[in-house]
Amino acid sequence: MIRGRLAASTLGDLLGDWRRDGTGGLPAYEALAERIRLLLIDGRISADVRLPSERELSERLDLSRTTITAAYRQLRDSGYARAVQGSGTTTTLPLARPPATAPRSQVIDLTMAALPATSLLPAAAALATEELAAHYDTPGYQLIGVPALREAIAERYTARGLPTDPEQILVTSGAQGAITLLSRTFVTRGDRVFADSPSYPHAYDALASAGGRIVTSPVTPEDGWDTASLAATIGRTNPSLAYVMPDFHNPTARSMTLDDRHELLHAVAKVDTLLIADETTGELDIDRREHYGPLATLAGEHGARVVHIGSASKLLWGGLRIGWIRASADILGRVAAVRPAHDLGSPVWEQLVAAHLVRRSGEAIEERRSQLRERRGALADALARHLPDWEMPERLEGGLAAWVRLPAPVSSQVTLAARAHGIHLTAGPRFGIDGAYERRLRFPLTSPATLTQAVAILGELWPTVADTTPLRLTTSEPSV
Ligand SMILES: Cc1ncc(COP(=O)(O)O)c(C=O)c1O
């Protein structure tokens, strides 16, 4: 996520091929304002960023100053920018989510890949409520976590083939809290940090906001990890942290093969990089054949240092806001020392609920498997029917999303056009760090009815996006 001052060259790169509009002949200034708004909405540019001067941007984009002035004015009028005395134009974000043209009740939100609560939740909540009484005479601050939950998580790792002691578990505010804490603990400003490309966007954000300079290597739904590139990148840049999702990677849904795992562990061990394996979506298995258990089960062979991150959010329920870190006592000690600056622990009742649910992970996996299988089928059917030249990944054996391939590099245009019809999507480039992935759109495996409805609407508006021709800039400038 961009903060501070935005250079004209960086904004130019982020905008990509914005001159093709998918909404039926918008004038250039409006199309430009729309694309900058999209960068703000999906988090690639943060609020309070100083936009390039009108002169710099007009040179970089080869447009008249009048067009840039009008685009900035439109951003200001719609609440996405403000003029700051002596500092030009600065971005802002309206507090409410940006208005879509469709009424709010009809908005279809496809920006989140998450399932509703497991059906096991009410029983766990009732048990937790009874148990809460035992905590009334304690202060309730649990910097490391409630013992019952740490035990349940440790037992789950042990059952999955990685013997674990409760002392090796620290409960966090979701896996996001875990990524943030690990970044703050182990990244010093200016350090290189490794992540896949594409990857989970808020992991990029956490690594970057801790001061890390992100280096990447590719993962594709077709070919998985390019381990030669991964090993070369890690060997060359010597990152202080490497962040990966070995199972059901978000957004490609790919899982590492056994060879991939060995090559990754070998690469990080060689330069003594701390490896974070995020397993937030790792147990959402639909029909995968091979299983290798947690990455750390293989780490000893290479002498690699591996930290696991887990979460209740995707298997159980995101509303619990419970995640965790599994690491050595030494690493957890360092993380615990950094934590109070961020939060002072996770809520007790939610941890008690999560403890019951983690113990029933096997049942939850079965429940999710049938839900995800049905959703995957619904998406494939809807795409085949309404958007036959959009490609569903061939291997989608688990996880919560499909990294769909578009026939043209128009992901941002589709996202903007969809917004005007009440469908909120995350454009492909949000999952990279350099403006790539305009040929991809991530579809969360949400309910079959929602997917069918959304894809039908996208099918209707697709011809207007697919037919886009470059804007005729001379005729479309505003008369100011
Ligand atoms: C790979 C990955 N890691 C972490 C998170 C954050 O999860 P949580 O809700 O546990 O903070 C997500 C959420 O989408 C995710 O996909």
Side-chain angles (χ1 to χ4, degrees), residues 339-400:
R339 183 171 192 176
H342 298 271
D343 66 1
L344 297 172
S346 301
V348 173
W349 184 81
E350 279 79 353
Q351 293 190 65
L352 297 173
V353 176
H356 287 288
L357 292 175
V358 168
R359 289 189 198 282
R360 298 182 71 181
S361 292
E363 290 163 74
I365 290 171
E366 287 312 315
E367 182 185 19
R368 294 331 197 172
R369 174 172 291 142
S370 72
Q371 287 171 327
L372 290 169
R373 179 176 280 127
E374 191 191 6
R375 289 159 183 237
R376 178 182 66 180
L379 178 60
D381 289 349
L383 288 174
R385 181 146 170 234
H386 300 287
L387 289 160
D389 49 358
W390 290 26
E391 283 170 43
M392 180 91 175
E394 248 170 57
R395 280 181 75 162
L396 210 172
E397 301 164 332
L400 280 164

Side-chain angles (χ1 to χ4, degrees), residues 414-425:
V414 172
T415 303
L416 282 170
R419 243 188 140 68
H421 289 77
I423 302 177
H424 291 186
L425 289 160

Side-chain angles (χ1 to χ4, degrees), residues 252-302:
T252 66
R254 282 294 295 235
S255 298
M256 286 187 157
T257 63
L258 192 56
D259 283 348
D260 291 343
R261 288 164 204 259
H262 281 296
E263 285 180 48
L264 168 66
L265 290 166
H266 181 66
V268 291
K270 245 165 99 177
V271 289
D272 198 28
T273 292
L274 183 65
L275 179 60
I276 301 179
D278 184 344
E279 294 190 306
T280 297
T281 54
E283 292 196 90
L284 297 169
D285 183 354
I286 306 177
D287 46 18
R288 196 169 103 195
R289 280 188 218 103
E290 325 80 46
H291 291 273
Y292 307 109
L295 200 59
T297 50
L298 306 170
E301 290 176 42
H302 301 273

Side-chain angles (χ1 to χ4, degrees), residues 196-200 204 218-220 245 249-252 403 431-432 437:
D196 296 316
S197 179
S199 188
Y200 167 57
Y204 286 145
V219 187
T220 64
M245 289 165 270
H249 169 270
N250 179 7
T252 66
W403 191 226
F431 296 86
Y437 306 120

Side-chain angles (χ1 to χ4, degrees), residues 116-424:
T118 166
S119 62
L120 306 172
L121 182 66
L127 290 170
T129 304
E130 283 170 25
E131 289 162 1
L132 192 64
H135 292 260
Y136 288 165
D137 58 1
T138 73
Y141 288 87
Q142 297 280 353
L143 191 67
I144 314 239
V146 167
L149 177 56
R150 295 172 72 204
E151 277 159 27
I153 295 167
E155 278 169 27
R156 178 82 195 130
Y157 276 113
T158 304
R160 292 175 61 215
L162 183 62
T164 301
D165 190 277
E167 299 293 304
Q168 290 170 270
I169 305 297
L170 183 141
V171 177
T172 57
S173 302
Q176 189 61 39
I179 302 169
T180 303
L181 285 177
L182 287 165
S183 306
R184 293 285 162 175
T185 309
F186 293 102
V187 179
T188 304
R189 190 151 293 283
D191 279 2
R192 302 296 186 115
V193 290
F194 174 87
D196 296 316
S197 179
S199 188
Y200 167 57
H202 298 310
Y204 286 145
D205 295 344
L207 292 166
S209 74
R213 288 184 295 152
I214 299 170
V215 294
T216 62
S217 80
V219 187
T220 64
E222 294 78 24
D223 302 317
W225 279 259
D226 180 344
T227 43
S229 156
L230 176 148
T233 306
I234 290 177
R236 194 179 64 246
T237 56
N238 196 2
S240 52
L241 272 190
Y243 168 86
V244 293
M245 289 165 270
D247 298 279
F248 309 124
H249 169 270
N250 179 7
T252 66
R254 282 294 295 235
S255 298
M256 286 187 157
T257 63
L258 192 56
D259 283 348
D260 291 343
R261 288 164 204 259
H262 281 296
E263 285 180 48
L264 168 66
L265 290 166
H266 181 66
V268 291
K270 245 165 99 177
V271 289
D272 198 28
T273 292
L274 183 65
L275 179 60
I276 301 179
D278 184 344
E279 294 190 306
T280 297
T281 54
E283 292 196 90
L284 297 169
D285 183 354
I286 306 177
D287 46 18
R288 196 169 103 195
R289 280 188 218 103
E290 325 80 46
H291 291 273
Y292 307 109
L295 200 59
T297 50
L298 306 170
E301 290 176 42
H302 301 273
R305 293 186 297 138
V306 180
V307 170
H308 281 274
I309 287 177
S311 174
S313 292
K314 309 297 177 168
L315 184 61
L316 305 168
W317 191 39
L320 291 171
R321 303 310 311 132
I322 295 292
W324 55 87
I325 300 173
R326 180 208 180 271
S328 65
D330 167 48
I331 288 181
L332 289 192
R334 292 180 62 184
V335 172
V338 165
R339 183 171 192 176
H342 298 271
D343 66 1
L344 297 172
S346 301
V348 173
W349 184 81
E350 279 79 353
Q351 293 190 65
L352 297 173
V353 176
H356 287 288
L357 292 175
V358 168
R359 289 189 198 282
R360 298 182 71 181
S361 292
E363 290 163 74
I365 290 171
E366 287 312 315
E367 182 185 19
R368 294 331 197 172
R369 174 172 291 142
S370 72
Q371 287 171 327
L372 290 169
R373 179 176 280 127
E374 191 191 6
R375 289 159 183 237
R376 178 182 66 180
L379 178 60
D381 289 349
L383 288 174
R385 181 146 170 234
H386 300 287
L387 289 160
D389 49 358
W390 290 26
E391 283 170 43
M392 180 91 175
E394 248 170 57
R395 280 181 75 162
L396 210 172
E397 301 164 332
L400 280 164
W403 191 226
V404 168
R405 190 178 154 84
L406 308 182
V410 290
S411 187
S412 295
Q413 279 102 312
V414 172
T415 303
L416 282 170
R419 243 188 140 68
H421 289 77
I423 302 177
H424 291 186

Side-chain angles (χ1 to χ4, degrees), residues 47-60:
D48 285 326
V49 162
R50 186 171 160 190
L51 290 170
S53 74
E54 291 168 10
R55 181 186 54 76
E56 284 167 335
L57 193 58
S58 90
E59 278 167 18
R60 170 64 175 78

